[in-house]
Amino acid sequence: MFPEIITFKQLGDERGGLVAIEEETSVPFHICRIYYIYDTKVDVERGFHAHKTLSQVGVAVSGSCEMVLNDGTTEVCTRLDSPTKGVVIRPGIWRSMRCFSHDCVLLVLADQPYDESDYIRNYDDFLSWKCTP
Ligand code: T46
């Protein structure tokens, strides 16, 4: 299924919401790195790259944004608008993010450390890479 959507269990109660994310169970990999994107202007689009080996899960823990994923053939747009909704971003997927609400905090869980050499930042290079056996 593309995109892969994860629905995290809501553990909150009358005091407020709570979501717990555990590696290998809540998300399909070991969590090595966590980063978050915030204070992004409404008209800003970012991303526009693929990763060769990195797997990630993105969750809008506050506000909302759109995640556009492209496997080289099909492009899908997923609205991330709940702290209980995650989208899995596998290797070899071109991604961009847009339509950030003013209060959006996009949390990203990644299975590897930051490595610029894992990025493909040119779309034609991405398509060539996808065709390479
Ligand atoms: C992705 C999407 C969803 C680091 O030094 N360490 C890090 O862990 C990250 C994520 C970024 N950076 C540096 C690299 C750049 O100089 O922070 C700067 C901004 O990164 P970038 O332009 O790649 O940001 P986005 O929003 O385009 O992409 C990010 C992730 O980089 C990427 O892996 O899948 O979010």
Side-chain angles (χ1 to χ4, degrees), residues 33 35 37 46-47 49 51 56 95 97 114 119 121:
R33 176 168 54 108
Y35 61 92
I37 295 167
R46 52 191 302 162
H49 56 256
H51 283 280
Q56 303 186 102
R95 83 289 315 270
M97 298 84 79
Y114 175 73
Y119 285 72
R121 292 192 181 270

Side-chain angles (χ1 to χ4, degrees), residues 40-45 98-102:
T40 300
K41 305 298 172 271
V42 171
D43 56 350
V44 164
E45 298 188 18
R98 66 187 185 196
C99 299
F100 288 88
S101 64
H102 71 281

Side-chain angles (χ1 to χ4, degrees), residues 3 6 13 16 19 28-29 36 40 60 63 65 74-75 80 82 94 98 106 109-110 114 118 121 131:
I6 299 174
D13 53 28
V19 170
F29 50 71
Y36 38 94
T40 300
C65 66
T74 304
E75 183 166 285
L80 298 176
S82 166
W94 187 264
R98 66 187 185 196
L106 177 60
L109 312 171
Y114 175 73
D118 192 63
R121 292 192 181 270
C131 292

Side-chain angles (χ1 to χ4, degrees), residues 57-97:
V57 168
V59 188
V61 293
S62 172
S64 63
C65 66
E66 291 182 354
M67 178 76 71
V68 182
L69 301 177
N70 180 329
D71 66 1
T73 306
T74 304
E75 183 166 285
V76 292
C77 175
T78 300
R79 183 158 189 79
L80 298 176
D81 56 4
S82 166
T84 64
K85 178 178 181 178
V87 62
V88 182
I89 315 169
R90 298 282 184 184
I93 299 292
W94 187 264
R95 83 289 315 270
S96 59
M97 298 84 79

Side-chain angles (χ1 to χ4, degrees), residues 22-41:
E22 297 189 3
E23 59 183 356
E24 314 285 2
T25 53
S26 321
V27 296
F29 50 71
H30 163 73
I31 299 170
C32 172
R33 176 168 54 108
I34 298 170
Y35 61 92
Y36 38 94
I37 295 167
Y38 64 99
D39 201 19
T40 300
K41 305 298 172 271

